[in-house]
Amino acid sequence: NAGVTQTPKFQVLKTGQSMTLQCAQDMNHNSMYWYRQDPGMGLRLIYYSASEGTTDKGEVPNGYNVSRLNKREFSLRLESAAPSQTSVYFCASSEDKGRTDTQYFGPGTRLTVL
Amino acid sequence: EDQVTQSPEALRLQEGESSSLNCSYTVSGLRGLFWYRQDPGKGPEFLFTLYSAGEEKEKERLKATLTKKESFLHITAPKPEDSATYLCAVGPGGGSYIPTFGRGTSLIVHP
């Protein structure tokens, strides 16, 4: 099993450009998450999807949109990138059988917005 | 509001020098406390889950313990390869299943 995969690994954007970060998991997990990690701030939840067909805002959703394409895939879109969105983005998944479950993380996408 | 505080922020040890990392939490009904290890440039990797006070789990040189207000990650005779950032997260009570993460402890073990 590959676990959680993310593409791309690195990306440089100019202010105002758009892009989509892709995430896929092969563990048949119900829940998927997008986090950003900044120095001194820890992991902050952007959006999550408790099950296929549902998405909800996390702590820092402004400037982002998500799509739960199917059970395996959960994408994060930046419509108009800003320098404040320079960060490392992690996708995670968990089984979540009605309880808080272990999360499995992808390798991350390092995004720089100039 | 759920809160997780990890201390110290950074810890430097000599190889073989045992120590402990602390995770203090405030949550309305703990549904699980999680420890993760994160190596530079990589995603967090799951280590342990603890569900109730008094519970302990071990893996190689690491041992995690849980009380009603905090968790400790004990590192016995650490090696340089144990150098990493260790993250703690708590699963909340109520209807949400989204864990809250601490900011982590950066551990460096010198040979």
Side-chain angles (χ1 to χ4, degrees):
Chain A
N1 288 347
V4 179
T5 57
Q6 293 182 236
T7 57
K9 292 189 187 306
F10 300 93
Q11 184 70 50
V12 179
L13 294 177
K14 294 182 179 178
T15 296
Q17 287 185 317
S18 62
M19 78 161 296
T20 300
L21 282 64
Q22 305 287 354
C23 173
Q25 53 92 7
D26 63 1
M27 295 174 282
N28 201 36
H29 284 169
N30 292 307
S31 299
M32 297 185 74
Y33 312 79
W34 276 105
Y35 290 91
R36 60 179 289 173
Q37 187 175 43
D38 303 290
M41 297 295 293
L43 282 165
R44 292 185 291 171
L45 184 66
I46 304 171
Y47 270 94
Y48 67 100
S49 171
S51 61
E52 186 178 353
T54 67
T55 60
D56 285 288
K57 295 179 180 179
E59 180 184 356
V60 288
N62 291 345
Y64 305 95
N65 285 301
V66 291
S67 295
R68 182 75 182 266
L69 304 171
N70 48 56
K71 193 170 185 179
R72 290 186 63 248
E73 299 172 289
F74 189 37
S75 63
L76 178 71
R77 183 161 178 84
L78 286 70
E79 291 290 352
S80 179
S84 61
Q85 294 178 304
T86 294
S87 187
V88 182
Y89 292 85
F90 289 102
C91 177
S93 71
S94 62
E95 192 173 12
D96 282 350
K97 292 181 178 176
R99 62 174 187 177
T100 302
D101 222 340
T102 301
Q103 292 180 313
Y104 295 87
F105 287 81
T109 294
R110 282 142 191 83
L111 174 67
T112 301
V113 183
L114 302 175
Chain B
E1 181 181 327
D2 300 335
Q3 288 191 332
V4 180
T5 303
Q6 291 189 246
S7 60
E9 290 186 13
L11 181 62
R12 293 178 180 270
L13 299 173
Q14 289 297 126
E15 184 172 2
E17 179 186 4
S18 301
S19 188
S20 297
L21 282 55
N22 178 262
C23 173
S24 298
Y25 63 89
T26 303
V27 64
S28 55
L30 182 70
R31 292 193 177 192
L33 185 139
F34 306 85
W35 281 100
Y36 292 84
R37 169 189 171 129
Q38 186 174 22
D39 292 302
K42 296 189 177 181
E45 178 184 349
F46 170 72
L47 290 173
F48 304 108
T49 307
L50 302 168
Y51 288 107
S52 57
E55 190 174 359
E56 299 182 352
K57 289 194 176 174
E58 290 187 64
K59 180 180 180 180
E60 297 181 356
R61 295 174 294 282
L62 300 177
K63 178 180 176 180
T65 62
L66 181 64
T67 71
K68 289 186 177 180
K69 294 185 177 181
E70 57 191 350
S71 177
F72 291 94
L73 185 64
H74 306 278
I75 304 176
T76 303
K79 298 182 177 182
E81 53 262 42
D82 294 322
S83 297
T85 295
Y86 291 86
L87 301 173
C88 170
V90 295
S96 169
Y97 301 104
I98 308 300
T100 299
F101 279 85
R103 297 185 178 184
T105 293
S106 174
L107 173 66
I108 298 175
V109 182
H110 296 285

